[in-house]
């Protein structure tokens, strides 16, 4: 059937169109981090070492040129604590200068720098002292945020304190899949609580420093559904993974919503998608509708402005990536039409990159990266997404 463009679904003026990355996943040779050590431990379960990643430590200007060339007006990246504070209390001026150049590079290209301070990785000295269970962790985060704010605050566009604190707690302290590979519900709950304290301390430290920029955390959300009999279990997951955070960020400048799919829970645990459902390469149900539902929940409970700081799909079928983002954005547009204050959408991810324990097997990027030459190739989904950004609207199809 021919698709007719009737009109446009316009987004608000000044809407942020971006793409997201994280230091460890793209920079390469992050050798002083807990993850680097984990990847090189025999029983970690990691498929690959992050190795050189996308060599964005050196090729960041190319990355920014691509973002600008596509017509995007924002770029989310993280600064790496393991490089900035390689030893307790020892701060690297060179590392901070590096990130200053990246931030300046964004401004030169009219890109709003959305800067994350913690995206999954810790310096090894923090991990050795107990990681998120170390008695000093809140103070260490606060001091780190103060140094980052002092050095970079006048250039930061938007700051994200901690990326997906609930996933760090879940994967590291309940499922035992990420470092430090622990398993225990009470440890999971305690780490989540610590995360909220770390966020508050970092937010206050950033606010006290130079620059005037919104500060928030980014939360991993999913569209939860209770299978019959799974209502109580679902409720306790929703509370631990989302609601305690959503209630905790009331009063913040914004919340970053990150979502990929839908999760169905029965009385005994997570229910796999029904046979025959379309799955992404991560094994997730193909469910772009999650953007609309999680944004609505976040707005209801947190009552702060929202930015979708991550959403995307792992697939080698790039046209299907376009379908996924298109449908996600249509749902997002409905939330905005209903009056929800959504300020932007960052697609995950700019580059095919290091997907944690799954290594380089997952293709989330709108740009592919040759694993030996690091040559970047823009995929059709990138051009499509850039066109949406430049028009600040989606075509209205029927
Ligand atoms: C994380 C990213 C990750 C992405 C895709 C998010 O949970 O913030 O680091 O690569 O999801 O799995």
């Amino acid at each position: 059937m021919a698709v007719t463009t009737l009109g446009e679904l316009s987004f608000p003026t000044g809407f942020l169109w971006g793409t997201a990355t994280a230091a460890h996943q793209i920079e390469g040779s992050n050798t002083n981090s807990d993850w680097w050590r984990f990847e090189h431990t025999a029983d970690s379960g990691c498929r690959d070492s992050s190795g050189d990643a996308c060599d964005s430590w050196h090729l960041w200007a190319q990355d920014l040129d691509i973002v600008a060339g596509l017509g995007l007006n924002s770029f989310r990246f993280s600064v790496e604590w393991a490089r900035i504070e390689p030893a307790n209390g020892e701060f690297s001026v060179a590392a901070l200068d590096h990130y200053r150049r990246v931030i300046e590079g964004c401004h030169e290209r009219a890109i709003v720098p959305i800067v994350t301070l913690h995206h999954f990785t810790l310096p090894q000295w923090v991990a050795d002292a107990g990681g998120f269970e170390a008695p000093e962790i809140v103070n260490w985060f606060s001091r780190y945020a103060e140094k980052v704010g002092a050095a970079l605050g006048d250039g930061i566009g938007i700051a994200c304190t901690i990326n997906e604190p609930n996933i760090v707690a879940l994967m590291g302290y309940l499922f035992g899949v990420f470092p430090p590979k622990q398993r225990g519900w009470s440890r999971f709950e305690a780490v989540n609580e610590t995360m909220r304290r770390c966020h508050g301390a970092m937010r206050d430290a950033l606010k006290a420093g130079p620059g005037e920029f919104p500060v928030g955390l980014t939360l991993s959300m999913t569209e939860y559904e209770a299978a019959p009999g799974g209502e109580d279990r679902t409720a306790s997951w929703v509370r631990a993974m989302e609601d305690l955070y959503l209630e905790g960020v009331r009063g913040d400048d914004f919340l970053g919503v990150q979502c990929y799919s839908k999760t169905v829970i029965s009385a005994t645990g997570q229910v796999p998608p029904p046979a025959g459902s379309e799955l992404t390469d991560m094994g997730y149900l193909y469910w772009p509708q999650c953007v609309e539902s999680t944004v609505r929940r976040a707005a209801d409970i947190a009552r702060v402005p929202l930015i979708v700081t991550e959403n995307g799909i792992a697939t080698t079928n790039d046209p299907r990536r376009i379908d996924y983002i298109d449908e996600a954005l249509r749902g997002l547009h409905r939330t905005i039409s209903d009056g929800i204050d959504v300020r932007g959408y960052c697609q995950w991810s700019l580059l095919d990159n290091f997907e944690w324990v799954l290594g380089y097997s997952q293709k989330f990027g709108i740009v592919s990266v040759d694993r030996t030459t690091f040559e970047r190739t823009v995929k059709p989904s990138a051009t499509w997404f850039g066109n949406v950004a430049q028009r600040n609207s989606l075509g209205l199809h029927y």
Side-chain angles (χ1 to χ4, degrees):
M1 188 182 85
V3 174
T4 312
T5 302
L6 262 190
E8 298 279 314
L9 295 179
S10 294
F11 284 75
T13 306
F15 194 75
L16 293 170
W17 293 100
T19 180
T21 61
H24 190 76
Q25 296 177 268
I26 64 166
E27 285 179 350
S29 300
N30 188 19
T31 56
N32 192 39
S33 66
D34 61 339
W35 262 89
W36 180 271
R37 187 166 58 192
F38 183 64
E39 290 152 30
H40 295 86
T41 305
D43 63 352
S44 70
C46 290
R47 280 179 68 124
D48 301 312
S49 154
S50 52
D52 289 322
C54 305
D55 197 20
S56 291
W57 181 258
H58 298 107
L59 302 180
W60 59 269
Q62 275 187 34
D63 294 344
L64 295 187
D65 284 344
I66 293 171
V67 171
L70 292 173
L72 303 177
N73 60 12
S74 56
F75 179 55
R76 178 168 174 245
F77 63 97
S78 71
V79 296
E80 179 55 55
W81 191 4
R83 295 188 197 271
I84 293 175
E85 191 179 359
N88 189 348
E90 192 175 318
F91 287 85
S92 165
V93 175
L96 287 165
D97 282 352
H98 169 88
Y99 290 120
R100 184 155 195 96
R101 289 191 289 275
V102 178
I103 288 173
E104 283 167 359
C106 287
H107 291 298
E108 282 158 14
R109 294 166 178 82
I111 296 168
V112 175
I114 306 179
V115 180
T116 306
L117 274 74
H118 178 268
H119 196 125
F120 290 3
T121 49
L122 290 174
Q124 287 178 9
W125 66 265
V126 176
D128 291 342
F132 288 98
E133 297 178 318
E136 288 294 305
I137 188 71
V138 180
N139 294 336
W140 289 334
F141 258 113
S142 171
R143 182 180 62 183
Y144 164 60
E146 185 191 322
K147 295 283 183 190
V148 170
L152 309 176
D154 58 346
I156 291 176
I158 294 173
C160 307
T161 54
I162 306 182
N163 178 74
E164 299 190 343
N166 52 346
I167 291 295
V168 176
L170 180 78
M171 301 297 269
Y173 295 85
L174 184 61
F175 288 172
V177 176
F178 284 6
K181 272 198 145 182
Q182 299 302 312
R183 291 168 182 270
W185 182 267
S186 57
R187 291 177 85 170
F188 161 70
E189 283 189 315
V191 167
N192 275 313
E193 188 53 41
T194 301
M195 289 289 191
R196 289 187 278 275
R197 290 173 51 224
C198 289
H199 163 67
M202 293 168 87
R203 180 197 55 214
D204 294 349
L206 289 169
K207 290 275 182 196
E212 289 287 330
F213 48 88
V215 182
L217 66 76
T218 73
L219 189 66
S220 170
M221 296 185 70
T222 182
E223 183 172 326
Y224 279 106
E225 183 182 304
E231 293 78 6
D232 290 350
R233 197 181 180 101
T234 306
S236 59
W237 275 102
V238 172
R239 178 124 199 96
M241 287 294 286
E242 298 190 357
D243 290 0
L244 288 172
Y245 282 98
L246 295 172
E247 290 162 9
V249 301
R250 284 181 190 149
D252 277 6
D253 298 328
F254 78 98
L255 171 73
V257 171
Q258 314 200 153
C259 57
Y260 291 86
S261 184
K262 169 177 178 172
T263 306
V264 181
I265 296 180
S266 72
T268 50
Q270 192 171 338
V271 182
S277 336
E278 180 177 353
L279 304 182
T280 74
D281 288 355
M282 292 289 281
Y284 301 161
L285 184 69
Y286 176 94
W287 198 254
Q289 298 92 317
C290 65
V291 171
E292 178 169 3
S293 54
T294 56
V295 162
R296 288 188 190 280
R297 275 200 86 241
D300 270 356
I301 303 174
R303 303 176 209 140
V304 292
L306 304 174
I307 301 173
V308 177
T309 38
E310 281 185 28
N311 170 246
I313 175 174
T315 182
T316 51
N317 180 346
D318 199 52
R320 203 60 184 138
R321 187 186 329 278
I322 296 177
D323 295 342
Y324 179 96
I325 302 173
D326 183 76
E327 196 164 346
L329 289 174
R330 283 167 202 282
L332 187 62
H333 190 272
R334 283 190 287 276
T335 71
I336 296 170
S337 302
D338 286 347
I340 296 180
D341 185 356
V342 185
R343 308 270 169 100
Y345 173 92
C346 290
Q347 179 272 345
W348 181 272
S349 180
L350 177 67
L351 305 173
D352 284 337
N353 62 39
F354 179 72
E355 180 55 29
W356 308 109
V357 286
L358 299 175
Y360 292 100
S361 64
Q362 302 299 305
K363 309 297 182 198
F364 276 97
I366 52 176
V367 174
S368 65
V369 179
D370 185 292
R371 296 261 9 101
T372 48
T373 64
F374 307 112
E375 190 186 343
R376 277 88 165 123
T377 306
V378 168
K379 301 181 191 178
S381 56
T383 309
W384 174 86
F385 184 54
N387 284 338
V388 172
Q390 286 174 43
R391 296 203 321 262
N392 199 31
S393 68
L394 282 164
L396 181 60
H397 302 302
Y398 78 109

